[in-house]
Amino acid sequence: MTILTARVPDELAGMRLDQCLAEMFPDYSRSKLQTWIKAGRVLVDGEPMKGRDKLDGGEEIELDAEAEQVVEYDAEDIPLDIVYEDDALLIVNKPAGLVVHPAVGNWTGTLVNALLNHAPSLDTLPRAGIVHRIDKDTSGLLMVAKTLQAHSSLIEQLQERTINREYLALVKGWMTAGGTVDEPIGRHPVDRKRNAVRRDGKEAVTHYRLEQRFKRHTLIRVKLETGRTHQIRVHMAHIHYPLVGDQVYGGRFQMPADCTPALAEALRNFKRQALHAAKLGLDHPETGEYCEWEQPMPEDMQNLIQLLAENELDQA
């Protein structure tokens, strides 16, 4: 048994307790949550309530959850680049090309399989402790909870937007200044594998600032306020600065003029989005202390940046 605590967000005010729990603890089934409510294992401001009782928002929820196996994937001996680890938290530097969660076409060889081999007890946590994800072809920092308490804390911090997530992205085009993209994102109306900016989408806010400019490319630092699927890729393409190498949102490949042979070859062979989760900051789920980690760009992105800089010198 373990106690999960969370505050009811104001936007859930007026909803039934069982509905609120389904929103706040989405990794547990509605039937399981109903069972726990009836068993008195859910307290609202210290008192039991019925599932149909409505909440005002701001209440403190205590959920006495069971530590049971909820992940049934196989453990696999896949190397992990562990940046930080203690009894509650694991920070991993994910390489590009590694899928995070098993799914159709990738039931094995994923980060989840690797985590279950590294820490078998993660099979009692929703999604093996992973509370957010980055795309297969994006590299960088990813946080993993090792206890239910830590899982609840990280989910709450994500909901309250207090976790600092910064990315480095190489985009096509010469940007003149940083800015913010505040445009809702939803499923593409035609291609269901893609997302798009659309009026009926979910709120999505992306802040970006310039790091380094080249003649036809710009390296930017991006800070996420929200965490929608493909958010950076969709937003940058929307403002006509798609990511280099993005096979989904980058449009048809066009070789820039005045490239050295080495740069031309590198751009032609860069087959993933040039995106790296460079910085991650959060309040430690046990101590409350603010912690921050940073990882440099992987070699393929660094090489591309170097070739772009050398190309500038050759054209000077």
Side-chain angles (χ1 to χ4, degrees):
M1 307 297 181
T2 188
I3 302 295
L4 302 179
T5 61
R7 181 180 61 82
V8 178
D10 292 337
E11 57 265 28
L12 299 185
M15 292 180 64
R16 294 161 45 121
L17 172 61
D18 52 3
Q19 295 172 329
C20 285
L21 292 181
E23 292 287 334
M24 296 169 64
F25 303 99
D27 294 311
Y28 296 107
S29 68
R30 288 177 180 265
S31 61
K32 174 68 72 174
L33 292 169
Q34 287 279 11
T35 299
W36 288 342
I37 292 172
K38 293 176 181 177
R41 292 170 59 171
V42 177
L43 300 180
V44 181
D45 288 336
E47 300 292 334
M49 293 179 68
K50 295 180 180 179
R52 64 175 180 269
D53 292 337
K54 293 185 177 180
L55 303 180
D56 298 323
E59 296 94 338
E60 288 291 329
I61 301 290
E62 291 185 15
L63 172 61
D64 188 1
E66 301 174 17
E68 57 186 12
Q69 183 176 358
V70 294
V71 175
E72 298 181 351
Y73 302 112
D74 294 331
E76 296 180 45
D77 188 9
I78 301 170
L80 286 172
D81 182 3
I82 296 174
V83 177
Y84 174 86
E85 184 176 17
D86 60 23
D87 291 339
L89 188 63
L90 182 65
I91 306 296
V92 176
N93 184 29
K94 187 190 84 69
L98 180 63
V99 174
V100 174
H101 290 286
V104 176
N106 292 286
W107 293 116
T108 61
T110 72
L111 180 61
V112 165
N113 300 111
L115 289 171
L116 292 173
N117 180 72
H118 175 74
S121 63
L122 290 176
D123 69 357
T124 64
L125 297 177
R127 296 183 176 88
I130 297 173
V131 296
H132 70 131
R133 68 178 69 192
I134 53 181
D135 297 334
K136 171 187 175 182
D137 290 327
T138 298
S139 59
L141 294 167
L142 190 144
M143 56 187 169
V144 181
K146 295 181 68 177
T147 66
L148 277 172
Q149 297 98 318
H151 187 272
S152 177
S153 172
L154 295 179
I155 289 290
E156 185 173 6
Q157 290 183 58
L158 282 169
Q159 292 173 341
E160 294 180 351
R161 302 182 182 180
T162 58
I163 290 180
N164 180 32
R165 290 174 291 168
E166 295 185 13
Y167 293 72
L168 289 171
L170 182 65
V171 302
K172 302 176 186 178
W174 194 83
M175 280 190 175
T176 57
T180 296
V181 184
D182 186 352
E183 296 286 354
I185 290 177
R187 287 291 183 190
H188 192 280
V190 178
D191 187 348
R192 304 300 293 174
K193 294 182 179 180
R194 300 174 62 193
N195 284 336
V197 168
R198 49 187 299 170
R199 291 182 180 179
D200 60 349
K202 294 183 178 180
E203 180 190 14
V205 182
T206 303
H207 307 283
Y208 62 95
R209 67 177 189 266
L210 308 187
E211 286 281 312
Q212 191 173 0
R213 283 189 293 190
F214 306 98
K215 186 177 296 184
R216 293 181 177 84
H217 297 85
T218 308
L219 179 66
I220 59 174
R221 182 172 290 270
V222 182
K223 185 172 183 179
L224 289 182
E225 189 171 321
T226 54
R228 307 302 173 201
T229 301
H230 300 171
Q231 179 172 321
I232 295 173
R233 300 165 63 190
V234 171
H235 271 171
M236 290 301 106
H238 178 70
I239 62 172
H240 308 297
Y241 292 101
L243 271 61
V244 169
D246 195 330
Q247 305 295 302
V248 177
Y249 302 100
R252 192 177 69 177
F253 176 77
Q254 291 181 313
M255 183 64 68
D258 304 325
C259 283
T260 63
L263 176 58
E265 182 181 5
L267 288 170
R268 189 177 294 110
N269 293 327
F270 202 93
K271 299 298 186 181
R272 73 174 184 94
Q273 62 267 10
L275 184 62
H276 174 66
K279 183 181 289 187
L280 179 63
L282 53 87
D283 293 333
H284 193 281
E286 286 191 346
T287 67
E289 178 185 1
Y290 181 75
C291 305
E292 191 172 84
W293 300 270
E294 192 163 5
Q295 285 291 299
M297 291 182 292
E299 186 176 355
D300 62 347
M301 283 186 67
Q302 290 190 36
N303 288 342
L304 194 52
I305 296 294
Q306 182 177 344
L307 289 170
L308 284 167
E310 291 174 354
N311 189 68
E312 300 281 302
L313 293 175
D314 287 347
Q315 301 301 324

